[in-house]
Amino acid sequence: MLTGRLAVVTGAGSGIGRAVCRVFASEGATIIAADTNEKGMEETMSMIKDTGDHQTYPCDVSNSASVNDLVSKIKERYSSAPHVAVNSAGITRDRTMMKLTEEDFDKVIDVNLKGTWLLNRAVGKAMLADKVPGSIVNISSLVGKTGNIGQTNYAASKAGVIGLTKSMAKEMGKFNIRVNAVLPGFIETPMTDVVPEHLMQMTKLLIPLGRIGNPEEIANTCAFLASDKSSYITGATIEVTGGLFM
Ligand code: NAP
């Protein structure tokens, strides 16, 4: 489904980003894995290394120099802009509003929202310069639609990603660059490992499919959005939630 596609994936060292790398590589894409977690990235690479000419690059998505450097290195190494970008880098710093520090508000916005914006901008510019028909997939969250106790910072960042995605889709459509957002529900990754067991059990009761999702189920949706099978889809928000809060 993705043969011949060059795909940059942030947050590639863990969870959903790692699953995206694995699914995309199995579909024939060449992967550029980017993350601040170098050990995690190397682990991801060891899982896919036999499937193509993949590369890892350390990158802090909240730092514009780091993001621009990543895209320059991709162009140098592969003589092309990426055809696909999946923005999966993300963090949580959960506290209720009255206890949340300004620093933790800023940190989450910087990584989740500004980081997504920086990569969309850098990859979008490179796609335009090389006249590459592109697909950008931004990982938002169901919480960006519903809000959540203890996540004013995170929910705002993920709602922001939806607004960013729709605006970018409107600006880039005429260049055949599609931009979509995926809204995962509860997915089993290191990010949700810290959620107390009783809350996980309560959440499961609310999920029509009756279970937590796995990262591959998000990655499969990303693969669809990255491929020509979604050629008439842009500016969409796709919920992959087992039906939670539909
Ligand atoms: P994860 O397992 O914690 O993976 C996130 C990865 O992003 C980690 O490798 C992390 O490195 C990296 N990262 C953190 N800050 C970064 C930065 N500034 N620059 C580059 N990489 C950075 O989380 P996940 O569950 O896979 O989440 C992936 C995305 O899905 C996130 O955007 C998250 O908000 C979203 N999401 C997840 C769920 C869920 O239930 N899991 C639900 C909805 C949305 P470190 O390990 O060093 O921090």
PDB file of all heavy atoms in Angstrom, residues 134-137 165 169 173 176-182 221 224-238:
ATOM      1  N   GLY A 134       1.578  14.943  -1.153  1.00  0.00           N
ATOM      2  CA  GLY A 134       1.898  14.447   0.193  1.00  0.00           C
ATOM      3  C   GLY A 134       0.687  14.117   1.036  1.00  0.00           C
ATOM      4  O   GLY A 134      -0.448  14.490   0.730  1.00  0.00           O
ATOM      5  N   SER A 135       0.955  13.390   2.119  1.00  0.00           N
ATOM      6  CA  SER A 135      -0.072  13.121   3.131  1.00  0.00           C
ATOM      7  C   SER A 135       0.535  13.334   4.513  1.00  0.00           C
ATOM      8  O   SER A 135       1.551  12.716   4.845  1.00  0.00           O
ATOM      9  CB  SER A 135      -0.580  11.684   3.005  1.00  0.00           C
ATOM     10  OG  SER A 135      -1.409  11.380   4.109  1.00  0.00           O
ATOM     11  N   ILE A 136      -0.083  14.216   5.276  1.00  0.00           N
ATOM     12  CA  ILE A 136       0.371  14.477   6.642  1.00  0.00           C
ATOM     13  C   ILE A 136      -0.716  13.977   7.598  1.00  0.00           C
ATOM     14  O   ILE A 136      -1.902  14.277   7.403  1.00  0.00           O
ATOM     15  CB  ILE A 136       0.631  15.991   6.855  1.00  0.00           C
ATOM     16  CG1 ILE A 136       1.728  16.475   5.891  1.00  0.00           C
ATOM     17  CG2 ILE A 136       1.001  16.277   8.308  1.00  0.00           C
ATOM     18  CD1 ILE A 136       2.002  17.982   5.933  1.00  0.00           C
ATOM     19  N   VAL A 137      -0.295  13.182   8.577  1.00  0.00           N
ATOM     20  CA  VAL A 137      -1.243  12.632   9.547  1.00  0.00           C
ATOM     21  C   VAL A 137      -0.838  13.115  10.935  1.00  0.00           C
ATOM     22  O   VAL A 137       0.276  12.841  11.394  1.00  0.00           O
ATOM     23  CB  VAL A 137      -1.239  11.079   9.520  1.00  0.00           C
ATOM     24  CG1 VAL A 137      -2.291  10.546  10.494  1.00  0.00           C
ATOM     25  CG2 VAL A 137      -1.486  10.551   8.106  1.00  0.00           C
ATOM     26  N   THR A 165      -4.873  21.079  11.809  1.00  0.00           N
ATOM     27  CA  THR A 165      -5.021  20.116  10.713  1.00  0.00           C
ATOM     28  C   THR A 165      -6.001  20.633   9.659  1.00  0.00           C
ATOM     29  O   THR A 165      -5.732  20.596   8.448  1.00  0.00           O
ATOM     30  CB  THR A 165      -5.523  18.764  11.285  1.00  0.00           C
ATOM     31  OG1 THR A 165      -4.551  18.293  12.216  1.00  0.00           O
ATOM     32  CG2 THR A 165      -5.748  17.737  10.189  1.00  0.00           C
ATOM     33  N   ALA A 169      -5.076  21.749   5.947  1.00  0.00           N
ATOM     34  CA  ALA A 169      -5.727  21.033   4.835  1.00  0.00           C
ATOM     35  C   ALA A 169      -6.303  22.039   3.839  1.00  0.00           C
ATOM     36  O   ALA A 169      -6.205  21.861   2.617  1.00  0.00           O
ATOM     37  CB  ALA A 169      -6.818  20.114   5.368  1.00  0.00           C
ATOM     38  N   GLY A 173      -4.527  21.918   0.077  1.00  0.00           N
ATOM     39  CA  GLY A 173      -5.303  21.059  -0.830  1.00  0.00           C
ATOM     40  C   GLY A 173      -4.977  21.303  -2.294  1.00  0.00           C
ATOM     41  O   GLY A 173      -4.834  20.347  -3.078  1.00  0.00           O
ATOM     42  N   ASN A 176      -2.238  19.317  -3.757  1.00  0.00           N
ATOM     43  CA  ASN A 176      -2.387  17.860  -3.589  1.00  0.00           C
ATOM     44  C   ASN A 176      -1.628  17.337  -2.372  1.00  0.00           C
ATOM     45  O   ASN A 176      -1.044  16.256  -2.407  1.00  0.00           O
ATOM     46  CB  ASN A 176      -1.962  17.122  -4.867  1.00  0.00           C
ATOM     47  CG  ASN A 176      -2.583  15.740  -4.949  1.00  0.00           C
ATOM     48  OD1 ASN A 176      -3.528  15.442  -4.212  1.00  0.00           O
ATOM     49  ND2 ASN A 176      -2.046  14.880  -5.786  1.00  0.00           N
ATOM     50  N   ILE A 177      -1.620  18.163  -1.341  1.00  0.00           N
ATOM     51  CA  ILE A 177      -1.069  17.713  -0.055  1.00  0.00           C
ATOM     52  C   ILE A 177      -2.257  17.592   0.903  1.00  0.00           C
ATOM     53  O   ILE A 177      -2.972  18.570   1.152  1.00  0.00           O
ATOM     54  CB  ILE A 177      -0.014  18.704   0.480  1.00  0.00           C
ATOM     55  CG1 ILE A 177       1.187  18.737  -0.485  1.00  0.00           C
ATOM     56  CG2 ILE A 177       0.431  18.319   1.895  1.00  0.00           C
ATOM     57  CD1 ILE A 177       2.168  19.854  -0.234  1.00  0.00           C
ATOM     58  N   ARG A 178      -2.484  16.371   1.368  1.00  0.00           N
ATOM     59  CA  ARG A 178      -3.628  16.107   2.248  1.00  0.00           C
ATOM     60  C   ARG A 178      -3.167  16.123   3.711  1.00  0.00           C
ATOM     61  O   ARG A 178      -2.054  15.703   4.008  1.00  0.00           O
ATOM     62  CB  ARG A 178      -4.254  14.745   1.900  1.00  0.00           C
ATOM     63  CG  ARG A 178      -4.802  14.695   0.481  1.00  0.00           C
ATOM     64  CD  ARG A 178      -5.467  13.372   0.154  1.00  0.00           C
ATOM     65  NE  ARG A 178      -4.563  12.250   0.186  1.00  0.00           N
ATOM     66  CZ  ARG A 178      -4.567  11.286   1.113  1.00  0.00           C
ATOM     67  NH1 ARG A 178      -5.437  11.318   2.106  1.00  0.00           N
ATOM     68  NH2 ARG A 178      -3.704  10.296   1.049  1.00  0.00           N
ATOM     69  N   VAL A 179      -4.019  16.635   4.569  1.00  0.00           N
ATOM     70  CA  VAL A 179      -3.664  16.729   5.997  1.00  0.00           C
ATOM     71  C   VAL A 179      -4.868  16.248   6.814  1.00  0.00           C
ATOM     72  O   VAL A 179      -5.970  16.791   6.673  1.00  0.00           O
ATOM     73  CB  VAL A 179      -3.317  18.186   6.397  1.00  0.00           C
ATOM     74  CG1 VAL A 179      -2.701  18.219   7.792  1.00  0.00           C
ATOM     75  CG2 VAL A 179      -2.365  18.833   5.391  1.00  0.00           C
ATOM     76  N   ASN A 180      -4.659  15.226   7.605  1.00  0.00           N
ATOM     77  CA  ASN A 180      -5.757  14.645   8.384  1.00  0.00           C
ATOM     78  C   ASN A 180      -5.309  14.404   9.824  1.00  0.00           C
ATOM     79  O   ASN A 180      -4.108  14.340  10.111  1.00  0.00           O
ATOM     80  CB  ASN A 180      -6.188  13.313   7.756  1.00  0.00           C
ATOM     81  CG  ASN A 180      -6.850  13.530   6.404  1.00  0.00           C
ATOM     82  OD1 ASN A 180      -7.960  14.050   6.324  1.00  0.00           O
ATOM     83  ND2 ASN A 180      -6.152  13.159   5.327  1.00  0.00           N
ATOM     84  N   ALA A 181      -6.281  14.240  10.699  1.00  0.00           N
ATOM     85  CA  ALA A 181      -5.975  13.951  12.109  1.00  0.00           C
ATOM     86  C   ALA A 181      -6.624  12.644  12.521  1.00  0.00           C
ATOM     87  O   ALA A 181      -7.746  12.328  12.118  1.00  0.00           O
ATOM     88  CB  ALA A 181      -6.477  15.082  13.004  1.00  0.00           C
ATOM     89  N   VAL A 182      -5.893  11.883  13.328  1.00  0.00           N
ATOM     90  CA  VAL A 182      -6.432  10.667  13.929  1.00  0.00           C
ATOM     91  C   VAL A 182      -6.637  10.952  15.425  1.00  0.00           C
ATOM     92  O   VAL A 182      -5.758  11.518  16.081  1.00  0.00           O
ATOM     93  CB  VAL A 182      -5.466   9.479  13.735  1.00  0.00           C
ATOM     94  CG1 VAL A 182      -5.958   8.250  14.477  1.00  0.00           C
ATOM     95  CG2 VAL A 182      -5.308   9.168  12.242  1.00  0.00           C
ATOM     96  N   THR A 221      -4.866   2.800  10.626  1.00  0.00           N
ATOM     97  CA  THR A 221      -5.633   3.970  10.152  1.00  0.00           C
ATOM     98  C   THR A 221      -4.682   4.989   9.514  1.00  0.00           C
ATOM     99  O   THR A 221      -4.994   5.592   8.481  1.00  0.00           O
ATOM    100  CB  THR A 221      -6.401   4.608  11.337  1.00  0.00           C
ATOM    101  OG1 THR A 221      -7.162   3.586  11.967  1.00  0.00           O
ATOM    102  CG2 THR A 221      -7.311   5.721  10.871  1.00  0.00           C
ATOM    103  N   PHE A 224      -3.760   3.857   6.042  1.00  0.00           N
ATOM    104  CA  PHE A 224      -4.846   4.167   5.111  1.00  0.00           C
ATOM    105  C   PHE A 224      -4.769   5.649   4.697  1.00  0.00           C
ATOM    106  O   PHE A 224      -4.822   5.987   3.508  1.00  0.00           O
ATOM    107  CB  PHE A 224      -6.195   3.841   5.770  1.00  0.00           C
ATOM    108  CG  PHE A 224      -7.386   4.426   5.085  1.00  0.00           C
ATOM    109  CD1 PHE A 224      -7.801   3.945   3.844  1.00  0.00           C
ATOM    110  CD2 PHE A 224      -8.113   5.468   5.664  1.00  0.00           C
ATOM    111  CE1 PHE A 224      -8.910   4.496   3.202  1.00  0.00           C
ATOM    112  CE2 PHE A 224      -9.210   6.018   5.032  1.00  0.00           C
ATOM    113  CZ  PHE A 224      -9.609   5.530   3.796  1.00  0.00           C
ATOM    114  N   LEU A 225      -4.593   6.534   5.682  1.00  0.00           N
ATOM    115  CA  LEU A 225      -4.546   7.972   5.379  1.00  0.00           C
ATOM    116  C   LEU A 225      -3.292   8.347   4.590  1.00  0.00           C
ATOM    117  O   LEU A 225      -3.299   9.311   3.820  1.00  0.00           O
ATOM    118  CB  LEU A 225      -4.615   8.787   6.677  1.00  0.00           C
ATOM    119  CG  LEU A 225      -5.980   8.793   7.360  1.00  0.00           C
ATOM    120  CD1 LEU A 225      -5.899   9.480   8.719  1.00  0.00           C
ATOM    121  CD2 LEU A 225      -7.042   9.478   6.488  1.00  0.00           C
ATOM    122  N   ALA A 226      -2.225   7.588   4.781  1.00  0.00           N
ATOM    123  CA  ALA A 226      -0.972   7.872   4.055  1.00  0.00           C
ATOM    124  C   ALA A 226      -1.049   7.372   2.614  1.00  0.00           C
ATOM    125  O   ALA A 226      -0.292   7.833   1.761  1.00  0.00           O
ATOM    126  CB  ALA A 226       0.195   7.195   4.772  1.00  0.00           C
ATOM    127  N   SER A 227      -1.948   6.452   2.350  1.00  0.00           N
ATOM    128  CA  SER A 227      -1.975   5.774   1.044  1.00  0.00           C
ATOM    129  C   SER A 227      -2.961   6.440   0.086  1.00  0.00           C
ATOM    130  O   SER A 227      -3.778   7.280   0.482  1.00  0.00           O
ATOM    131  CB  SER A 227      -2.391   4.308   1.235  1.00  0.00           C
ATOM    132  OG  SER A 227      -3.796   4.244   1.414  1.00  0.00           O
ATOM    133  N   ASP A 228      -2.911   6.003  -1.172  1.00  0.00           N
ATOM    134  CA  ASP A 228      -3.841   6.532  -2.176  1.00  0.00           C
ATOM    135  C   ASP A 228      -5.271   6.043  -1.955  1.00  0.00           C
ATOM    136  O   ASP A 228      -6.194   6.535  -2.595  1.00  0.00           O
ATOM    137  CB  ASP A 228      -3.376   6.120  -3.580  1.00  0.00           C
ATOM    138  CG  ASP A 228      -2.096   6.845  -3.959  1.00  0.00           C
ATOM    139  OD1 ASP A 228      -1.799   7.890  -3.325  1.00  0.00           O
ATOM    140  OD2 ASP A 228      -1.380   6.367  -4.873  1.00  0.00           O
ATOM    141  N   LYS A 229      -5.433   5.066  -1.072  1.00  0.00           N
ATOM    142  CA  LYS A 229      -6.799   4.585  -0.785  1.00  0.00           C
ATOM    143  C   LYS A 229      -7.649   5.677  -0.123  1.00  0.00           C
ATOM    144  O   LYS A 229      -8.870   5.574  -0.081  1.00  0.00           O
ATOM    145  CB  LYS A 229      -6.751   3.337   0.104  1.00  0.00           C
ATOM    146  CG  LYS A 229      -6.178   2.118  -0.619  1.00  0.00           C
ATOM    147  CD  LYS A 229      -6.363   0.857   0.178  1.00  0.00           C
ATOM    148  CE  LYS A 229      -5.646  -0.328  -0.424  1.00  0.00           C
ATOM    149  NZ  LYS A 229      -6.106  -0.676  -1.776  1.00  0.00           N
ATOM    150  N   SER A 230      -6.984   6.710   0.403  1.00  0.00           N
ATOM    151  CA  SER A 230      -7.732   7.825   1.018  1.00  0.00           C
ATOM    152  C   SER A 230      -7.578   9.097   0.186  1.00  0.00           C
ATOM    153  O   SER A 230      -7.603  10.204   0.727  1.00  0.00           O
ATOM    154  CB  SER A 230      -7.211   8.067   2.437  1.00  0.00           C
ATOM    155  OG  SER A 230      -5.827   8.377   2.394  1.00  0.00           O
ATOM    156  N   SER A 231      -7.424   8.942  -1.144  1.00  0.00           N
ATOM    157  CA  SER A 231      -7.034  10.068  -1.996  1.00  0.00           C
ATOM    158  C   SER A 231      -8.016  11.249  -1.983  1.00  0.00           C
ATOM    159  O   SER A 231      -7.639  12.350  -2.373  1.00  0.00           O
ATOM    160  CB  SER A 231      -6.826   9.581  -3.434  1.00  0.00           C
ATOM    161  OG  SER A 231      -7.964   8.872  -3.863  1.00  0.00           O
ATOM    162  N   TYR A 232      -9.263  11.022  -1.548  1.00  0.00           N
ATOM    163  CA  TYR A 232     -10.217  12.148  -1.531  1.00  0.00           C
ATOM    164  C   TYR A 232     -10.544  12.579  -0.097  1.00  0.00           C
ATOM    165  O   TYR A 232     -11.556  13.216   0.150  1.00  0.00           O
ATOM    166  CB  TYR A 232     -11.497  11.744  -2.298  1.00  0.00           C
ATOM    167  CG  TYR A 232     -12.305  12.922  -2.790  1.00  0.00           C
ATOM    168  CD1 TYR A 232     -11.707  13.945  -3.535  1.00  0.00           C
ATOM    169  CD2 TYR A 232     -13.663  13.022  -2.520  1.00  0.00           C
ATOM    170  CE1 TYR A 232     -12.438  15.030  -3.976  1.00  0.00           C
ATOM    171  CE2 TYR A 232     -14.412  14.092  -2.962  1.00  0.00           C
ATOM    172  CZ  TYR A 232     -13.794  15.104  -3.688  1.00  0.00           C
ATOM    173  OH  TYR A 232     -14.535  16.181  -4.126  1.00  0.00           O
ATOM    174  N   ILE A 233      -9.663  12.217   0.837  1.00  0.00           N
ATOM    175  CA  ILE A 233      -9.899  12.582   2.243  1.00  0.00           C
ATOM    176  C   ILE A 233      -8.860  13.604   2.684  1.00  0.00           C
ATOM    177  O   ILE A 233      -7.657  13.333   2.651  1.00  0.00           O
ATOM    178  CB  ILE A 233      -9.802  11.339   3.163  1.00  0.00           C
ATOM    179  CG1 ILE A 233     -10.852  10.292   2.755  1.00  0.00           C
ATOM    180  CG2 ILE A 233     -10.000  11.744   4.624  1.00  0.00           C
ATOM    181  CD1 ILE A 233     -10.839   9.032   3.594  1.00  0.00           C
ATOM    182  N   THR A 234      -9.324  14.777   3.052  1.00  0.00           N
ATOM    183  CA  THR A 234      -8.425  15.763   3.687  1.00  0.00           C
ATOM    184  C   THR A 234      -9.210  16.601   4.694  1.00  0.00           C
ATOM    185  O   THR A 234     -10.423  16.781   4.547  1.00  0.00           O
ATOM    186  CB  THR A 234      -7.708  16.649   2.644  1.00  0.00           C
ATOM    187  OG1 THR A 234      -6.601  17.292   3.293  1.00  0.00           O
ATOM    188  CG2 THR A 234      -8.619  17.700   2.021  1.00  0.00           C
ATOM    189  N   GLY A 235      -8.519  17.054   5.725  1.00  0.00           N
ATOM    190  CA  GLY A 235      -9.165  17.849   6.780  1.00  0.00           C
ATOM    191  C   GLY A 235     -10.072  17.016   7.675  1.00  0.00           C
ATOM    192  O   GLY A 235     -10.861  17.554   8.446  1.00  0.00           O
ATOM    193  N   ALA A 236      -9.937  15.700   7.583  1.00  0.00           N
ATOM    194  CA  ALA A 236     -10.828  14.819   8.356  1.00  0.00           C
ATOM    195  C   ALA A 236     -10.252  14.536   9.739  1.00  0.00           C
ATOM    196  O   ALA A 236      -9.035  14.595   9.953  1.00  0.00           O
ATOM    197  CB  ALA A 236     -11.031  13.502   7.610  1.00  0.00           C
ATOM    198  N   THR A 237     -11.138  14.240  10.668  1.00  0.00           N
ATOM    199  CA  THR A 237     -10.723  13.765  11.998  1.00  0.00           C
ATOM    200  C   THR A 237     -11.328  12.374  12.169  1.00  0.00           C
ATOM    201  O   THR A 237     -12.550  12.231  12.163  1.00  0.00           O
ATOM    202  CB  THR A 237     -11.240  14.702  13.108  1.00  0.00           C
ATOM    203  OG1 THR A 237     -12.646  14.877  12.944  1.00  0.00           O
ATOM    204  CG2 THR A 237     -10.573  16.063  13.041  1.00  0.00           C
ATOM    205  N   ILE A 238     -10.470  11.388  12.255  1.00  0.00           N
ATOM    206  CA  ILE A 238     -10.958  10.008  12.330  1.00  0.00           C
ATOM    207  C   ILE A 238     -10.776   9.480  13.751  1.00  0.00           C
ATOM    208  O   ILE A 238      -9.656   9.426  14.269  1.00  0.00           O
ATOM    209  CB  ILE A 238     -10.221   9.112  11.307  1.00  0.00           C
ATOM    210  CG1 ILE A 238     -10.435   9.693   9.901  1.00  0.00           C
ATOM    211  CG2 ILE A 238     -10.716   7.665  11.403  1.00  0.00           C
ATOM    212  CD1 ILE A 238     -10.055   8.806   8.766  1.00  0.00           C
TER     213      ILE A 238
END
